[in-house]
Amino acid sequence: MKLTVIGGGGVRSAFLAKSLAYNAHRIGLQEVVFLDSAEDNLATFGEIARYVFNTIRPDIHFSLMTDPVAAIKDANFVITTLRVGGDESRIRDERIALEHNTLGQETTGAGGFAMAMRSIPAILNYCQLIEAHAAPDAILFNFTNPSGLVTEAIIKSGFQRRVYGICDAPSELIRELPAILHCDERDLKVECYGLNHFSWFTHFTVKGEDVTERLINDPALYRHTAMQYFSPELVQLCDKQLLNEYLYYYYYREVALKAIQDAPETRGEQIARINRDMRQELASVDVKAHPEQAFDIWMKHYLRRENSYMQSESQQEKFNTRAPLTLQQFIEEPDTGGYAGVALDILEAVNSDTSKRIVVSLSNNGTLDFLQPDDVIEISCDLSKSGLKPVTPKQVPVAQKNMISCVKEYERLAVTAILNRDRALAVRALMAHPLVGSWSLAQTLVTAYLSDRHGQEWR
């Protein structure tokens, strides 16, 4: 079995390599390829990933490639994790939105639309290569943001292979809950429903017993999990459902906007500065000859990113800041799975006698009866030999239905606009988005985002 990662030279590649190496036996992996169009990224972050993978599984062939056809040829599984346009495009997306007094977060609202304008055409080019050169039964796992929009665009473009959108935000929150409930992770069941980066969590049971009240009334929930960004009063207002961390931008919109505007730099500018520092320090190291030294530099700067996540927007310190690890400690530390874990769970299920619940993005097909069948949703699914079975949530309050319907209308219009390069539809899409909600503002934003090379291609 061959697995190819498109975008394998990213900053997080070491985590993906580690997860794949530790779990390769679950799906019979014999070959892994990390593909990236940027040779300098492969020579740095790709080489760190190669060392991690080879240390854990030297018996599996691991390679770094810049040739997409060779990388994709005969691949059984493909994971996409692209950032088209790099840090500079993210900075521009954020600043354009902020200049017009609206949120520019990179995966939702105006910033998410601008990112999708770059991500979707790039992914569709790779999809053509997958259909032409990958194994006939190849499965695509999309982690490229904005994941829900990109996954919907892939499906609606006519792509003929199986495709799932994967994200680590829901699984990370769910993984934090057993410590609060003092239970085994295997005994906890949760229902997640909504859209990518726009989902709620409900119906919490431990060995069949409903533990919702105990969970939402525990102060530790709001101190030691991603629920730190939300108040207990809001959870009560949301019919005792927990919230995806990205909902902060909706429920605390003016707080987040003011905090970002008052900050000395945007998140994109902060990440770009950290990445520049990292690259400058790594430039003096031969990564192949001195992987431990390169890893230490990478880890130091990576933690600057992770430990500052959402601090400007929420004006809160992170509850789970990480301490640096040596390369050996990183390799030996138990793997938490992340988005690769979701993909591997799906692939392993067909050969397993046990069932497992995961959160994935796929076509609705009636799971949420207030949305269209071909809408892509983010939903809990029970995995077993019989396949992937979406879990219809027992309760979707009217407020959540209205919010999801509104954002999904934006997503439908956005995907159609990008697939057809239609300026008028793009304005309609942003006008429908609750973080924009204005025709004049939508028109201004679309004009600004189309002012570079995109504008030459759109009608």
Side-chain angles (χ1 to χ4, degrees), residues 2 4 24 31 36 38 110 131 139 173 200 204 224 228 234 244 255 311 321 348 363 375 405 449 459:
K2 176 181 177 180
T4 298
E31 181 180 0
D36 206 292
E131 291 203 310
I139 303 174
L173 174 61
W200 288 260
F204 305 91
H224 303 307
Q228 73 172 91
L234 176 58
N244 186 303
V255 177
Q311 282 189 6
T321 54
E348 183 189 37
S363 293
D375 288 336
S405 296
Y449 287 133
R459 56 186 174 86

Side-chain angles (χ1 to χ4, degrees), residues 168-242:
D168 45 9
S171 57
E172 284 182 1
L173 174 61
I174 293 170
R175 200 162 45 237
E176 291 165 347
L177 300 182
I180 307 296
L181 293 165
H182 307 289
C183 70
D184 192 292
E185 187 176 344
R186 293 171 297 181
D187 297 328
L188 173 67
K189 286 288 180 71
V190 181
E191 293 174 3
C192 175
Y193 69 89
L195 312 175
N196 180 244
H197 287 186
F198 196 78
S199 54
W200 288 260
F201 303 82
T202 184
H203 197 230
F204 305 91
T205 62
V206 174
K207 293 183 176 180
E209 176 191 356
D210 192 299
V211 294
T212 301
E213 292 291 341
R214 176 152 60 98
L215 177 63
I216 66 171
N217 290 313
D218 192 330
L221 177 70
Y222 307 95
R223 291 198 302 263
H224 303 307
T225 75
M227 285 298 296
Q228 73 172 91
Y229 306 117
F230 306 102
S231 72
E233 291 80 10
L234 176 58
V235 171
Q236 292 290 339
L237 189 68
C238 291
D239 287 69
K240 303 178 180 179
Q241 298 186 355
L242 303 191

Side-chain angles (χ1 to χ4, degrees), residues 264-392:
E265 57 187 357
T266 65
R267 179 61 172 168
E269 289 163 350
Q270 182 185 45
I271 293 296
R273 175 171 51 82
I274 292 171
N275 284 344
R276 281 195 301 270
D277 293 346
M278 183 194 303
R279 290 177 187 278
Q280 286 174 4
E281 199 169 347
L282 282 168
S284 63
V285 179
D286 183 333
V287 181
K288 274 189 175 181
H290 304 287
E292 293 89 352
Q293 185 182 352
F295 180 88
D296 289 345
I297 294 169
W298 169 79
M299 174 61 76
K300 177 179 69 175
H301 294 289
Y302 179 79
L303 290 181
R304 289 172 62 197
R305 292 171 52 127
E306 291 300 295
N307 292 340
S308 60
Y309 175 68
M310 278 192 78
Q311 282 189 6
S312 293
E313 298 93 325
S314 67
Q315 299 177 310
Q316 294 183 37
E317 295 291 324
K318 279 196 75 175
F319 72 91
N320 62 342
T321 54
R322 304 180 190 178
L325 299 172
T326 65
L327 178 53
Q328 193 59 36
Q329 288 171 331
F330 174 80
I331 290 171
E332 293 175 355
E333 185 184 55
D335 174 55
T336 57
Y339 65 88
V342 177
L344 289 162
D345 284 338
I346 293 172
L347 296 175
E348 183 189 37
V350 294
N351 298 314
S352 174
D353 292 323
T354 60
S355 62
K356 184 170 185 176
R357 182 166 291 183
I358 63 163
V359 179
V360 67
S361 290
L362 39 63
S363 293
N364 179 37
N365 290 329
T367 304
L368 299 180
D369 59 10
F370 55 94
L371 296 181
Q372 296 176 12
D374 63 347
D375 288 336
V376 166
I377 61 172
E378 185 168 86
I379 196 79
S380 292
C381 294
D382 285 332
L383 279 170
S384 66
K385 272 188 173 180
S386 59
L388 201 71
K389 182 181 179 182
V391 178
T392 302

